[in-house]
Amino acid sequence: ADFNRRLSRRTSVGAMYMYFHVDYPRAFGEADVHTFMLQFGRQFGRSWELALAGGVSLSDFSGIRSIQL
């Protein structure tokens, strides 16, 4: 899910949330990943635009097993 808001004709800000689940049946368990990001955009003239985004991810792994190689 994401949300963007235009602050002016040339400037916008936003926020994003992503969720990802992986299930490894009969092998290694499962993982959940939550990602939160902030976005900033600025237009300079007609043909130049700067877009920046950054955030954090939280990973939760369960049912992990060690495998000897």
Side-chain angles (χ1 to χ4, degrees):
D2 66 342
F3 170 79
N4 287 300
R5 174 82 174 166
R6 185 169 299 277
L7 298 178
S8 69
R9 234 177 93 215
R10 297 180 183 264
T11 305
S12 62
V13 295
M16 180 187 312
Y17 170 76
M18 293 183 289
Y19 172 75
F20 182 70
H21 176 79
V22 178
D23 196 12
Y24 302 102
R26 300 180 317 230
F28 303 109
E30 62 185 17
D32 293 310
V33 180
H34 301 269
T35 302
F36 304 92
M37 296 183 70
L38 296 176
Q39 306 164 334
F40 173 80
R42 175 79 178 167
Q43 184 177 1
F44 301 97
R46 288 185 174 195
S47 58
W48 289 94
E49 182 177 343
L50 173 67
L52 301 172
V56 296
S57 290
L58 173 65
S59 301
D60 180 28
F61 299 94
S62 61
I64 303 298
R65 286 189 257 166
S66 296
I67 306 289
Q68 181 150 353
L69 300 175

